[in-house]
Amino acid sequence: MKILITGAKGFVGKNLVVELRNQGYTDLLEYDVDSIPESLDQYTQECDFVFHLAGVNRPEKQEDFMAGNFGFTSILLENLKKHNNKAPVLITSSTQAALDNPYGQSKKAGEDLIFQYGKDNQTPVYVYRLPNVFGKWCRPNYNSAVATFCHNIANDLPIQVNDPDVTMNLVYIDDVVKSFIDILTTSDRKKLTQIAYQHVEPVHTIRLGEIVNLIEKFKESRINLQIPNMNNIFAKKLYSTYLSYLPKDKFSYFLKMNTDQRGSFTEFLKSPDRGQVSVNISKPHITKGNHWHHTKNEKFLVVSGKGVIRFRKIDSDGIIEYFVSGDKLEVVDIPVGYTHNIENLGDTDMVTITWVNEIFDKEKPDTFSLEV
């Protein structure tokens, strides 16, 4: 299958192209503003499917809206008709096509044109009225508030929020691309063409101020180590988007290592609903722990070195031992009501990954000293 993509170097086009390649499509006919105009004639003769993503949204003159969004669509369709190519055409419009402004008018004109083309030529056409799209590779300080806020906050640049109560409808770029490819691979085109407009799901409706607050929390997470709640689908997608705007010299950040003669203890990640993860380094022949908990529970995973984890029920004399090492990864649950310790039996540092079901609260540590 030969697939023509106009606007292939734009935000949506770039994401679509890489995912098509991921899925094994190799014959992609990419057309963009810097392409040789004559190549469009060849591409419209050969293609089996058209993703028409090219458009204008920030022209120097208002009349360029119509030239870019209606005029180029006309040229594309005329080329397809000239070659009697009835390849399906998917076009991206905007929810602003319902509004009475130069951009919206140009998008509506493009929609009307493509619907009429499909009717006249018995060709499947699919029109997406997209709301705001966010995700990786979107150009900041252009026409996306999300991209601008992510870029500026990640790069310590100022942002301007005129009205935090403005409500935004957003779709995520991966959801957009999935919907497009579903159209490409569908076996029931007749059913789909009976729908006036195609829609991407889910649509995330959220206030502008909430978006900014989330992004600022993402930045603070490097200090407080608290990652966002990934059960919130929008927060999960926005966090991924934010990370894509980190400056190249700030991909990493240091953690505070609490060190003493026994080794070190370093908190790694925290989550209000999922507890925290830490890294515990024990020097050779050092024993750590000798305490127990009422409700707090932990998991120990030795990833380097060798040692022994010992347990004793606080009202019993019997000691239970688990010998662990980085050579065979084994998770050991630390049950409540058992005092426990971990001893490094080797001559090198032992590294243990620890998960605990709650973030440490110094006011309520739920930790009581008692020798095993």
Side-chain angles (χ1 to χ4, degrees):
M1 178 180 283
K2 292 186 177 182
I3 302 172
L4 168 59
I5 304 109
T6 71
K9 294 181 180 178
F11 166 44
V12 176
K14 184 176 180 180
N15 277 274
L16 175 63
V17 166
V18 297
E19 184 56 25
L20 286 170
R21 288 177 177 158
N22 285 343
Q23 297 195 20
Y25 294 93
T26 57
D27 216 341
L28 304 183
L29 311 174
E30 301 178 42
Y31 189 87
D32 211 288
V33 66
D34 58 351
S35 299
I36 300 172
E38 292 76 16
S39 63
L40 186 64
D41 182 72
Q42 176 187 345
Y43 292 167
T44 51
Q45 183 177 359
E46 299 176 356
C47 66
D48 302 301
F49 194 98
V50 180
F51 288 104
H52 180 34
L53 314 179
V56 173
N57 52 31
R58 280 290 185 93
E60 293 183 3
K61 297 177 293 184
Q62 284 197 355
E63 53 265 32
D64 291 341
F65 277 126
M66 196 61 72
N69 295 323
F70 173 80
F72 181 68
T73 300
S74 301
I75 294 171
L76 172 69
L77 298 181
E78 286 299 324
N79 273 274
L80 289 168
K81 286 193 288 186
K82 180 176 71 173
H83 297 298
N84 195 30
N85 187 340
K86 297 185 181 296
V89 181
L90 183 154
I91 181 173
T92 50
S93 183
S94 167
T95 51
Q96 291 206 36
L99 304 179
D100 187 19
N101 60 51
Y103 176 63
Q105 291 167 357
S106 67
K107 283 296 189 181
K108 181 63 167 62
E111 292 178 359
D112 293 342
L113 184 65
I114 197 82
F115 280 131
Q116 190 62 48
Y117 169 81
K119 181 178 179 180
D120 293 343
N121 296 276
Q122 291 78 52
T123 299
V125 295
Y126 310 96
V127 178
Y128 277 81
R129 275 193 175 181
L130 294 175
N132 296 282
V133 185
F134 73 104
K136 65 184 183 301
W137 304 333
C138 186
R139 179 178 169 184
N141 299 300
Y142 186 57
N143 68 338
S144 167
V146 172
T148 300
F149 292 150
C150 284
H151 173 269
N152 286 19
I153 291 173
N155 288 271
D156 299 319
L157 298 173
I159 62 171
Q160 181 177 343
V161 181
N162 295 324
D163 185 357
D165 291 323
V166 167
T167 298
M168 298 189 69
N169 293 314
L170 299 156
V171 289
Y172 185 53
I173 187 59
D174 288 5
D175 297 327
V176 173
V177 169
K178 180 184 182 302
S179 184
F180 286 2
I181 295 178
D182 285 347
I183 294 284
L184 175 69
T185 57
T186 187
S187 59
D188 194 354
R189 297 203 180 280
K190 184 177 180 181
K191 180 179 179 181
L192 282 172
T193 52
Q194 293 172 351
I195 304 172
Y197 294 100
Q198 306 297 323
H199 300 281
V200 176
E201 296 291 341
V203 177
H204 302 282
T205 301
I206 185 169
R207 292 189 305 108
L208 191 60
E210 293 179 74
I211 295 173
V212 173
N213 288 339
L214 277 171
I215 298 172
E216 289 177 339
K217 287 181 179 178
F218 298 159
K219 184 174 184 177
E220 293 168 4
S221 69
R222 287 188 164 194
I223 299 171
N224 61 29
L225 305 181
Q226 294 202 28
I227 59 173
N229 182 356
M230 294 302 172
N231 278 332
N232 182 322
I233 300 301
F234 176 74
K236 178 180 179 180
K237 296 171 181 176
L238 184 63
Y239 184 59
S240 296
T241 301
Y242 167 76
L243 292 179
S244 73
Y245 289 93
L246 287 174
K248 295 178 181 178
D249 60 346
K250 292 185 179 179
F251 286 174
S252 69
Y253 57 101
F254 290 101
L255 298 174
K256 180 185 177 183
M257 297 179 67
N258 301 288
T259 59
D260 58 24
Q261 72 278 3
R262 301 174 302 162
S264 65
F265 176 79
T266 306
E267 295 176 324
F268 174 32
L269 292 175
K270 298 180 181 180
S271 171
D273 61 323
R274 302 298 170 91
Q276 71 178 55
V277 178
S278 305
V279 180
N280 197 332
I281 299 177
S282 302
K283 294 294 184 182
H285 311 295
I286 286 294
T287 299
K288 289 186 175 184
N290 286 314
H291 59 235
W292 64 279
H293 316 288
H294 279 302
T295 303
K296 180 186 295 185
N297 55 86
E298 302 163 297
K299 293 178 183 289
F300 285 0
L301 173 63
V302 171
V303 296
S304 179
K306 62 180 180 179
V308 59
I309 301 173
R310 300 185 181 93
F311 302 91
R312 178 174 64 81
K313 202 171 184 179
I314 64 170
D315 59 354
S316 169
D317 294 330
I319 296 177
I320 304 167
E321 293 183 328
Y322 282 80
F323 291 89
V324 291
S325 80
D327 296 328
K328 184 179 180 181
L329 298 185
E330 179 182 8
V331 177
V332 179
D333 277 314
I334 310 300
V336 297
Y338 281 79
T339 186
H340 52 276
N341 65 30
I342 181 168
E343 180 183 357
N344 183 351
L345 299 178
D347 297 322
T348 60
D349 286 356
M350 180 176 68
V351 181
T352 305
I353 304 299
T354 302
W355 172 85
V356 61
N357 67 328
E358 60 184 36
I359 295 175
F360 177 72
D361 182 354
K362 63 181 180 181
E363 301 298 326
K364 298 178 181 179
D366 187 13
T367 302
F368 306 93
S369 297
L370 184 64
E371 289 286 331
V372 173

